[in-house]
Amino acid sequence: MKKTEYSLVILNANIITLNNEQPRAKAIAIENEKIVAVGSNKQILSHKSKNTKIIDCENKTVVPGLVDCHVHMLEFGFLLQELNLRSTKSIKEMQNSLRKHVERKPELEWILGGRWDEEKFSEKRYPTRWDLDKIISNKPVLLKRVCGHLAVVNSKALRLARITENTRVNGGIVDLDETTGEPTGILRDNAMDLVSKLIPNRSRSTVEMACISACRAAVQAGLTGVHWLVDSTEEIQVLQTMASEGKLPLRVNLGIPAKMLKEITHLGLTTGFGNDMLKLSFMKILADGSLGARTAALEKGYSDDLVKRGIMLYSRRKLHELILEAHKNGWQVAVHAIGDRALKQVIEAMNEAMKKVPRKDHRHRIEHCSIMNEALISQMKELDLIASVQPHFVVSDVWTVDRIGIERARWAYPFKTLFDKGIVVVSGSDCPIELISPLLGLWAAVKREDKPEERLTVEETLRTYTVNAAFASFDEAKKGTIEAGKYADLTILAEDI
């Protein structure tokens, strides 16, 4: 019998397979992008030929390919080209950065960017339109807060959008000055759309370059796949072209916005359409806002602003209708829910949809699951819902106790409790809200200084980026562990995590 010869082997590696039947190994054999054997150096080398390519890992650690399960890739790609204010420490510094950006790019018709965080500002307040007007008043400016659920715009943008003190928005808020009653330039959630819809469409080539830039950064961070939240059919078309031309360097599972539900369902498309490089995965619905913008929907008022309870972006009836429609049309449903009030309404709507249209193995998801309680966690388990979390939020949201109080903060980001209840937990960055770094997320979940009882182990966290991520996209037979028959999606790390 002719000996099997491998075209590619990885040797001298510290391999963490996450396959319970063979937890550790030293070498991997690969053929046609698939793993064909896992074992010792001796076992794998016995199938080497003169044509075999060898990668000597020099005892570096190899893990299953890491997958970010919640990322806004196109927005991230644009931010790489726009004004990035993530590290800004004051409004004055923000103004200086804005001035330099405008001077460098005088051709811009709109000034876009953001990721600022007033919690880091020495002034400890939101920037206003008047702050922006001092730097630029003849072009519209829109700068989003780090959470993406609040933005500041200048007076030019307010005028173009015809926003006044009388403007009212369903699922959004136009902040008014307490003294004069005028718009301050701060727009929350759906109110941002009044301005953003006026921004001229970017060219197809610009969109493609942003996608490519984001993909490169993701691969450099150690990712082999992403759950990519899209916003338009054009974005999907660009990704389809990239995939057909071999320009996608990682696997992409698409999250489709609710606004596209009727359009894309009418075409007969649903979860699973596509191939192993690019496929439709889930329908994304936004239920509430963010804790940072105080628009996450809470049962009781914010501890640092008792008047506010956050915003539900849909009425209860509309939310139920959206989830039911997506569910009955065969979609995996993923709902953004941060506050406990939003989580309660989402779980109720999912429960109702499943009773009306029973479906096995739906694998519906709740994105973020930030402020929970024991009852909500038990209900998630009963409905077999997946918890899609962002571990680095526990580091960034240093104000959590001030914002919601000690009692509710006990149930903020309860990763270990979710795990112990048997709920499938997957991890993501929500980039560009957080850095696109799975290792940073892993560190945050394991370190967990704010709440040691909710710490995950390294292996548990690693599973959220690998085994569980594969389950969430119905790909557990193809990836997630290092074993024969699965794709050779691998991440090599410099050190043993």
Side-chain angles (χ1 to χ4, degrees), residues 204-213 238 241-242 245 247:
R204 193 180 180 97
S205 61
T206 300
V207 172
E208 181 175 324
M209 280 307 302
C211 290
I212 290 172
S213 296
V238 167
T241 300
M242 287 175 62
E245 295 176 351
K247 293 180 179 178

Side-chain angles (χ1 to χ4, degrees), residues 2-10 27-38 44 47-55 251 478 483-490:
K2 185 179 179 181
K3 182 181 76 170
T4 303
E5 295 180 350
Y6 302 139
S7 60
L8 172 64
V9 299
I10 294 174
I28 305 169
I30 298 165
E31 193 74 43
N32 296 323
E33 300 184 359
K34 295 280 186 75
I35 297 170
V36 291
V38 180
I44 301 303
H47 295 272
K48 180 179 78 71
S49 72
K50 64 179 181 179
N51 296 319
T52 301
K53 180 181 178 181
I54 297 176
I55 296 176
R251 302 189 195 279
K478 299 176 181 178
E483 58 184 295
K486 294 192 175 181
Y487 280 115
D489 292 2
L490 307 169

Side-chain angles (χ1 to χ4, degrees), residues 224-251:
T224 62
V226 291
H227 293 194
W228 184 313
L229 299 166
V230 300
D231 195 51
S232 67
T233 52
E234 182 192 28
E235 190 175 347
I236 297 173
Q237 290 166 355
V238 167
L239 288 171
Q240 287 175 321
T241 300
M242 287 175 62
S244 67
E245 295 176 351
K247 293 180 179 178
L248 274 182
L250 73 179
R251 302 189 195 279

Side-chain angles (χ1 to χ4, degrees), residues 47-255:
H47 295 272
K48 180 179 78 71
S49 72
K50 64 179 181 179
N51 296 319
T52 301
K53 180 181 178 181
I54 297 176
I55 296 176
D56 186 344
C57 279
E58 299 177 345
N59 209 38
K60 291 182 174 63
T61 296
V62 179
V63 297
L66 302 175
V67 177
D68 189 316
C69 291
H70 187 115
V71 55
H72 305 265
M73 290 287 280
L74 180 59
E75 193 174 348
F76 172 43
F78 285 143
L79 187 63
L80 293 173
Q81 305 164 7
E82 297 171 348
L83 177 58
N84 189 342
L85 299 168
R86 182 182 292 276
S87 61
T88 307
K89 297 296 190 295
S90 69
I91 291 174
K92 184 176 181 180
E93 187 179 336
M94 181 183 191
Q95 290 172 318
N96 289 336
S97 297
L98 177 59
R99 180 184 294 106
K100 291 176 183 177
H101 182 72
V102 172
E103 290 172 352
R104 281 197 307 268
K105 300 187 176 184
E107 73 282 3
L108 293 176
E109 295 179 11
W110 280 71
I111 312 303
L112 306 172
R115 302 303 156 189
W116 52 270
D117 185 353
E118 81 288 349
E119 302 288 349
K120 297 178 180 178
F121 288 173
S122 58
E123 296 90 348
K124 296 299 178 186
R125 67 170 176 85
Y126 289 129
T128 67
R129 64 180 172 113
W130 299 291
D131 294 319
L132 303 187
D133 289 347
K134 289 178 181 177
I135 307 304
I136 182 163
S137 58
N138 62 333
K139 295 181 179 181
V141 179
L142 186 150
L143 303 174
K144 288 185 179 181
R145 188 185 182 276
V146 66
C147 65
H149 288 265
L150 180 151
V152 60
V153 301
N154 67 349
S155 298
K156 176 76 172 183
L158 289 176
R159 288 195 299 273
L160 287 173
R162 299 182 179 179
I163 295 173
T164 70
E165 63 272 17
N166 299 315
T167 301
R168 300 293 180 269
V169 186
N170 289 330
I173 298 172
V174 176
D175 278 20
L176 303 178
D177 185 87
E178 293 180 358
T179 304
T180 66
E182 297 177 89
T184 64
I186 293 292
L187 307 176
R188 300 173 193 257
D189 284 292
N190 289 351
M192 294 187 294
D193 295 342
L194 299 176
V195 174
S196 60
K197 69 182 181 181
L198 302 177
I199 299 170
N201 290 333
R202 295 174 170 94
S203 68
R204 193 180 180 97
S205 61
T206 300
V207 172
E208 181 175 324
M209 280 307 302
C211 290
I212 290 172
S213 296
C215 285
R216 286 174 178 163
V219 171
Q220 288 169 357
L223 293 167
T224 62
V226 291
H227 293 194
W228 184 313
L229 299 166
V230 300
D231 195 51
S232 67
T233 52
E234 182 192 28
E235 190 175 347
I236 297 173
Q237 290 166 355
V238 167
L239 288 171
Q240 287 175 321
T241 300
M242 287 175 62
S244 67
E245 295 176 351
K247 293 180 179 178
L248 274 182
L250 73 179
R251 302 189 195 279
V252 174
N253 291 279
L254 296 174

Side-chain angles (χ1 to χ4, degrees), residues 52 380 453 473 488:
T52 301
M380 281 190 69
E453 66 271 27
S473 59

